[in-house]
Amino acid sequence: ASFSGTPPGYAYDADRAEEQRRHHDMMPYIDDSPSSSPHLSSKSRGSRDTLSSGSLESTKSSEPDLEKGLEMRKWVLSGILASEETYLSHLEALLLPMKPLKAAATTSQPVLTSQQIETIFFKVPELYEIHKEFYDGLFPRVQQWSHQQRVGDLFQKLASQLGVYRAFVDNYEVAMETAEKCCQANAQFAEISENLKARSTKESKDQTTKNSLETLLYKPVDRVTRSTLVLHDLLKHTPVSHPDHPLLQDALRISQNFLSSINEEITPRRQSMTVKKGEHRQLLKDSFMVELVEGARKLRHVFLFTDLFLCAKLKKQIGGKSQQYDCKWYIPLTDLSFQMVDESEAVPNIPLVPDEELDAMKIKISQIKNDIQREKRANKGSKVIERLKKKLSEQESLLLLMSPNMAFRVHNRNGKSYTFLISSDYERAEWRENIREQQKKCFKSFSLTSVELQMLTNSCVKLQTVHNIPLTINKEDDESPGLYGFLNVIVHSATGFKQSSNLYCTLEVDSFGYFVNKAKTRVYRDTTEPNWNEEFEIELEGSQTLRILCYEKCYNKTKLTKEDGESTDRIMGKGVQLDPQVLQDKDWQRTVISMNGVEVKLSVKFTSREFSLKRMPSRKQTGVFGVKIAIVTKRERSKVPYIVRQCVEEIERRGMEEVGIYRVSGVATDIQALKAAFDVNNKDVSVMMSEMDVNAIAGTLKLYFRELPEPLFTDELYPNFAEGIALSDPVAKESCMLNLLLSLPEPNLVTFLFLLDHLKRVAERESVNKMSLHNLATVFGPTLLRPSEKDSKIPANPTQPITMTDSWSLEVMSQVQVLLYFLQLETIPTPDSKRQSILFSTEV
């Protein structure tokens, strides 16, 4: 019988090797020839198909198990035979050119000298003989198989001959160097050494695979490091009572001693094995990225090596196999350039996903997390939790795939361009910097053979540093969930610029596993020491990192042409950790961030959501901030508070085209000054306003609504609004939402309708100010709806307490949805004449 049918469990022994290597504290290495041998990965034919890799693990010593264990022993040996056969074919391929080279050495036109041949092929003939003898001894015994069959003496003898490997390993480095020198000196040898033919296994006699000399010379190094794994596997399936057991143990002991003595020497070589001619290729950086392929978003894992950039896709895992990558494409760093697209120009056809859809995903994610917490508390079966986790993982992967929209292009000099989508300018800049830095050290282009590419792609599994898609599902329960609440950041100033330029900063924080740009300072013109002094309030949803980026604004596009046609604002970026311990302190903390010789001064203050949820009524009832809206309108004899009218009027006068109006924070000191002026009814307030940055006015208006002791939508009606927005029948939803709206107290309703019309007008200028209805709803939703009692919740079954983190996200999203609903309604009909008179009254 032919033993080409090894069970799938043995086919991937390189991955099992990984597990064994951990026991031996051996370095991970890069090559797993057996898994690329067609012989080994062939599925077992015939009745053996039912044998699964699972049965490898389940060997206990009860009677039926013993039977099974002995049966497994035969399969393990079949695998070893197949592996030996591949190894022998590699050694044969090395020996093939040896004879003609030796013959030529004695002629007048030698390709190599006898000494060079001796050095390069040192000990290869001896290794071949040892393994041929082993194979020839093992093959007939496995053919005439019985459970009593002995093989231990063969393994013992093989172990006793490991000394030959010692000589091979000691000479390996010299052999490689000699081979490289000879290739450079002699074109004929270079040709030979790139095209060594190894015959494939039995069933395809006529097929050969091409290998380089370098790949083949590494095989013995690889084989010897695997000698103990083979014995481990065999011992595992050899009963202690079997006569082979003591012999195999002896062989294992000899192999382990031998390996520990040479392991230190082999380690550095393993790392260099994926490399062209003696250079060391190492992995510098890897991460998940979204690639745009013919308009579709695809999740990829990208790897930056010392000499190339590789884009791979994680293959679907089929029953128990360890992960594997498929190489999509690679670019040698010498051939890589960046194609820049100016941020203000639309990147050609990036399919953008509407914010509403992304929000719907976030809501789903928060709801699934809630369910998981609930199941955990109820100690339900893990089946349910597993199912939920799978659902969560799918949703989060989808969000990760759909949210990025910043193009990161790489271009191969040979014509092909690839586009990735990234959600953070910081990461994009970091990738560009790392690649550029490494390009300085790369001088020549190359291409990988399919075998080298396969080996490199296989090595990615062992080398990757980013193992999980950055989803919260992959966080351990005890990992910090990050911060929830509001972070106030003041960007004070920066120093250290070499020449005068136009400078601005942006702030990014992470939420839902990826980074989002949250704020941007104004551009400080022609200076080396910008003094922005701008404060921003950033909402944190489970955030752990704040990043600040400093840019030089480039107005003159022609002036800035970099070697690769880059014409965009120049960036110098640096991350800042948000340390939850430090920030628990309620006070402002000053900090200096250094980046590339530039220092930026910041102050940060964090308000956890428990506190930011509270609406604090004002103690004195004379002002307007923190005073009930009914009291203010009555005192002023107006339908809409004076402060609301003033701010809206000023913004409509000069803020409608301001990028990020209402989203970008105004300077805090200006806002406080305006607040004080309105509170004491200062007659000069309109003069003050005309001199202030328009973002401060927008900030004052938001602050007014946020500090109302009761939200504009009232505490009483809030739960109903939250329930109404969740209705699925559109007709029922509209009727419910409008009835609720019209049951608001008069000042609240009129003020809301006044504000609503204004926000719609802001959104009409979206192409300039970048504020869509959805963006405005996100900013104003919580401000207008968040109830005043801290413990208010989305109406839920009271027996299921919701964790703070997830209920918060759900609650905020619900508030955004309510406001968005009204913003998107064409008209708001008003049923009775009393309302009519209010709405169309001229006294606003």
Side-chain angles (χ1 to χ4, degrees):
S2 152
F3 286 99
S4 56
T6 55
Y10 203 73
Y12 286 85
D13 60 354
D15 306 317
R16 308 243 311 277
E18 182 66 38
E19 172 188 286
Q20 298 285 3
R21 256 198 316 284
R22 297 208 183 99
H23 298 294
H24 287 299
D25 298 318
M26 287 162 59
M27 286 287 290
Y29 62 97
I30 299 173
D31 176 29
D32 43 6
S33 27
S35 67
S36 53
S37 122
H39 199 106
L40 265 172
S41 47
S42 63
K43 268 281 196 299
S44 55
R45 274 174 281 291
S47 64
R48 295 279 162 237
D49 261 356
T50 51
L51 206 113
S52 79
S53 53
S55 55
L56 279 177
E57 271 63 68
S58 59
T59 315
K60 302 279 182 306
S61 45
S62 64
E63 271 312 300
D65 279 351
L66 197 62
E67 249 334 85
K68 207 154 131 205
L70 286 164
E71 183 67 4
M72 267 315 298
R73 193 163 176 258
K74 173 183 166 184
W75 285 103
V76 171
L77 283 166
S78 315
I80 291 170
L81 269 178
S83 174
E84 279 297 298
E85 203 174 324
T86 307
Y87 181 45
L88 281 170
S89 77
H90 287 141
L91 292 176
E92 264 170 33
L94 269 177
L95 292 174
L96 212 58
M98 213 175 117
K99 281 198 184 108
L101 285 170
K102 271 189 172 166
T106 56
T107 66
S108 59
Q109 290 194 305
V111 181
L112 302 181
T113 66
S114 300
Q115 183 53 53
Q116 287 169 329
I117 297 169
E118 176 57 28
T119 308
I120 294 172
F121 297 98
F122 186 66
K123 293 293 176 200
V124 175
E126 289 84 340
L127 289 174
Y128 180 76
E129 285 313 314
I130 292 169
H131 282 271
K132 183 87 176 88
E133 186 190 347
F134 172 72
Y135 180 83
D136 290 346
L138 188 58
F139 189 75
R141 297 194 199 184
V142 179
Q143 292 278 33
Q144 295 131 30
W145 186 252
S146 78
H147 289 338
Q148 279 65 51
Q149 182 66 280
R150 299 178 183 200
V151 292
D153 55 313
L154 296 172
F155 284 92
Q156 206 176 17
K157 183 168 183 192
L158 187 62
S160 70
Q161 294 169 305
L162 281 171
V164 181
Y165 278 101
R166 150 74 64 199
F168 180 87
V169 168
D170 286 345
N171 179 69
Y172 176 79
E173 207 74 1
V174 187
M176 294 301 286
E177 280 166 21
T178 311
E180 189 177 352
K181 283 191 188 121
C182 294
C183 282
Q184 285 165 354
N186 187 311
Q188 198 182 348
F189 181 63
E191 177 62 27
I192 294 170
S193 73
E194 278 299 308
N195 296 293
L196 296 171
K197 305 270 196 306
R199 70 188 165 72
S200 296
T201 40
K202 287 207 179 110
E203 61 240 48
S204 47
K205 273 243 168 62
D206 51 339
Q207 286 191 354
T208 55
T209 50
K210 241 173 39 171
N211 289 286
S212 69
L213 176 70
E214 187 197 16
T215 309
L216 291 176
L217 277 176
Y218 182 70
K219 296 297 178 190
V221 179
D222 180 49
R223 175 67 182 78
V224 73
T225 54
R226 243 195 271 119
S227 55
T228 54
L229 305 175
V230 169
L231 289 162
H232 270 295
D233 279 344
L234 199 50
L235 265 168
K236 197 167 162 187
H237 300 291
T238 303
V240 183
S241 56
H242 196 288
D244 266 355
H245 201 272
L247 301 180
L248 290 171
Q249 275 196 311
D250 187 45
L252 180 61
R253 184 184 50 77
I254 299 170
S255 304
Q256 281 175 336
N257 290 343
F258 175 76
L259 265 190
S260 58
S261 73
I262 67 161
N263 204 24
E264 291 74 42
E265 303 160 39
I266 297 178
T267 300
R269 277 168 221 151
R270 290 199 190 123
Q271 290 170 331
S272 66
M273 187 37 223
T274 56
V275 186
K276 211 56 179 171
K277 303 276 172 283
E279 300 153 17
H280 287 263
R281 170 177 298 144
Q282 283 152 352
L283 179 66
L284 300 176
K285 181 182 172 77
D286 64 308
S287 83
F288 284 95
M289 240 184 242
V290 175
E291 189 187 5
L292 198 55
V293 185
E294 293 169 359
R297 292 163 176 260
K298 306 277 186 191
L299 193 61
R300 301 284 190 239
H301 198 151
V302 293
F303 297 86
L304 173 62
F305 287 94
T306 34
D307 59 343
L308 63 88
F309 182 74
L310 177 111
C311 172
K313 164 190 171 208
L314 198 56
K315 283 187 189 170
K316 282 226 164 30
Q317 285 172 314
I318 310 160
K321 282 185 190 170
S322 78
Q323 42 170 208
Q324 279 192 308
Y325 285 101
D326 234 353
C327 172
K328 284 292 172 194
W329 48 266
Y330 71 94
I331 307 177
L333 293 187
T334 41
D335 299 340
L336 187 149
S337 71
F338 299 108
Q339 286 186 308
M340 292 295 194
V341 171
D342 178 51
E343 295 315 297
S344 61
E345 296 167 28
V347 173
N349 41 3
I350 286 186
L352 289 184
V353 180
D355 288 342
E356 291 78 54
E357 277 180 43
L358 294 178
D359 257 30
M361 288 179 209
K362 288 182 184 177
I363 289 176
K364 244 188 207 153
I365 288 170
S366 299
Q367 278 165 341
I368 299 169
K369 282 185 184 170
N370 265 345
D371 295 345
I372 292 175
Q373 290 304 327
R374 197 171 60 231
E375 294 299 333
K376 276 188 181 161
R377 277 193 302 272
N379 284 329
K380 288 271 173 58
S382 60
K383 276 263 173 60
V384 183
I385 293 182
E386 279 319 300
R387 212 170 42 243
L388 284 169
K389 281 192 167 167
K390 189 167 178 257
K391 234 164 88 181
L392 178 60
S393 174
E394 284 165 10
Q395 278 302 318
E396 293 203 316
S397 304
L398 194 63
L399 180 63
L400 195 79
L401 196 62
M402 295 309 175
S403 47
N405 52 22
M406 231 176 242
F408 169 54
R409 285 200 166 77
V410 292
H411 181 67
N412 189 334
R413 263 222 291 271
N414 309 327
K416 189 113 173 62
S417 291
Y418 304 93
T419 301
F420 290 104
L421 299 178
I422 288 188
S423 60
S424 150
D425 206 356
Y426 184 92
E427 273 154 53
R428 180 169 63 175
E430 214 169 37
W431 272 99
R432 281 181 189 149
E433 270 165 42
N434 293 351
I435 291 173
R436 284 210 182 99
E437 202 43 50
Q438 195 52 32
Q439 282 180 319
K440 293 175 189 165
K441 303 169 195 167
C442 295
F443 303 106
K444 57 180 200 288
S445 182
F446 56 87
S447 66
L448 299 177
T449 65
S450 55
V451 175
E452 287 171 317
L453 189 56
Q454 185 55 51
M455 280 168 62
L456 181 59
T457 312
N458 290 349
S459 78
C460 290
V461 177
K462 302 189 185 86
L463 295 173
Q464 61 178 351
T465 58
V466 182
H467 293 276
N468 289 322
I469 301 173
L471 310 175
T472 52
I473 177 90
N474 292 321
K475 287 197 178 145
E476 294 308 314
D477 286 347
D478 52 5
E479 260 184 71
S480 152
L483 297 169
Y484 288 80
F486 288 96
L487 183 73
N488 287 64
V489 181
I490 301 176
V491 183
H492 296 292
S493 59
T495 52
F497 295 98
K498 301 281 182 287
Q499 62 217 54
S500 200
S501 48
N502 307 309
L503 302 161
Y504 67 94
C505 287
T506 64
L507 301 170
E508 295 181 348
V509 295
D510 56 317
S511 73
F512 287 89
Y514 59 92
F515 278 84
V516 193
N517 188 359
K518 286 282 195 179
K520 178 178 169 183
T521 66
R522 63 183 180 277
V523 178
Y524 218 96
R525 306 288 291 255
D526 302 321
T527 179
T528 52
E529 298 200 351
N531 264 312
W532 294 286
N533 285 322
E534 292 186 84
E535 181 184 342
F536 304 96
E537 182 175 76
I538 295 172
E539 190 185 333
L540 305 181
E541 303 174 277
S543 310
Q544 292 176 325
T545 310
L546 164 75
R547 288 173 173 169
I548 178 159
L549 294 99
C550 194
Y551 292 85
E552 176 187 349
K553 180 86 181 148
C554 177
Y555 290 104
N556 179 356
K557 290 289 177 253
T558 51
K559 198 177 76 184
L560 214 162
T561 44
K562 287 257 183 68
E563 74 285 351
D564 47 16
E566 177 182 346
S567 62
T568 178
D569 297 344
R570 266 230 330 268
I571 188 172
M572 315 98 157
K574 191 78 182 159
V576 186
Q577 208 56 32
L578 292 178
D579 181 355
Q581 282 353 90
V582 178
L583 289 171
Q584 288 314 323
D585 193 7
K586 299 293 170 294
D587 292 331
W588 286 97
Q589 322 237 333
R590 279 187 86 99
T591 172
V592 175
I593 288 122
S594 348
M595 38 171 121
N596 315 1
V598 174
E599 293 199 330
V600 179
K601 293 194 175 64
L602 294 184
S603 295
V604 287
K605 182 176 89 169
F606 172 66
T607 315
S608 73
R609 68 157 76 106
E610 288 85 313
F611 289 94
S612 61
L613 282 173
K614 282 184 172 167
R615 290 180 180 269
M616 307 298 282
S618 166
R619 295 220 172 77
K620 52 183 201 319
Q621 291 298 299
T622 53
V624 278
F625 280 81
V627 178
K628 285 184 175 166
I629 192 166
I631 295 175
V632 173
T633 47
K634 193 173 173 189
R635 186 197 317 139
E636 292 178 354
R637 295 197 176 87
S638 64
K639 296 270 193 296
V640 174
Y642 175 67
I643 178 172
V644 178
R645 285 176 289 150
Q646 281 295 90
C647 291
V648 165
E649 196 176 298
E650 192 62 27
I651 286 166
E652 298 218 347
R653 190 169 71 79
R654 61 190 178 97
M656 300 298 268
E657 300 199 342
E658 179 77 15
V659 174
I661 185 74
Y662 288 120
R663 193 191 65 222
V664 170
S665 299
V667 181
T669 43
D670 291 356
I671 295 175
Q672 290 308 319
L674 274 177
K675 174 181 172 177
F678 276 114
D679 266 344
V680 297
N681 197 10
N682 187 330
K683 293 288 172 272
D684 304 330
V685 75
S686 54
V687 179
M688 272 173 75
M689 284 171 83
S690 63
E691 290 166 1
M692 271 185 191
D693 173 46
V694 71
N695 287 313
I697 294 158
T700 307
L701 182 62
K702 285 191 300 187
L703 187 68
Y704 168 72
F705 285 117
R706 200 163 84 215
E707 291 197 353
L708 281 176
E710 180 181 58
L712 198 61
F713 276 57
T714 73
D715 286 332
E716 184 193 348
L717 292 177
Y718 171 68
N720 308 55
F721 278 110
E723 272 171 357
I725 198 67
L727 295 174
S728 41
D729 174 13
V731 181
K733 184 192 281 191
E734 183 169 342
S735 147
C736 169
M737 295 297 278
L738 284 173
N739 279 322
L740 283 170
L741 184 68
L742 296 172
S743 16
L744 285 174
E746 196 170 304
N748 300 52
L749 176 67
V750 181
T751 302
F752 173 64
L753 293 174
F754 179 76
L755 179 68
L756 193 69
D757 286 342
H758 164 64
L759 295 180
K760 285 181 174 176
R761 285 193 291 274
V762 171
E764 282 167 13
R765 313 292 274 278
E766 183 191 350
S767 59
V768 186
N769 62 31
K770 304 285 184 275
M771 291 303 285
S772 61
L773 288 175
H774 183 272
N775 286 345
L776 291 163
T778 308
V779 172
F780 273 99
T783 306
L784 300 179
L785 280 116
R786 194 186 62 239
S788 49
E789 317 89 22
K790 175 179 168 296
D791 55 7
S792 83
K793 284 275 171 285
I794 291 182
N797 181 338
T799 58
Q800 308 159 353
I802 296 184
T803 57
M804 203 52 200
T805 42
D806 303 318
S807 66
W808 164 255
S809 317
L810 281 173
E811 203 163 355
V812 167
M813 287 171 193
S814 161
Q815 293 157 5
V816 170
Q817 296 299 321
V818 170
L819 179 54
L820 185 60
Y821 184 80
F822 290 121
L823 281 167
Q824 287 171 337
L825 275 184
E826 286 301 304
T827 50
I828 294 185
T830 39
D832 60 23
S833 53
K834 175 170 163 280
R835 296 277 184 208
Q836 295 278 320
S837 66
I838 294 168
L839 284 178
F840 300 106
S841 151
T842 50
E843 294 167 39
V844 173

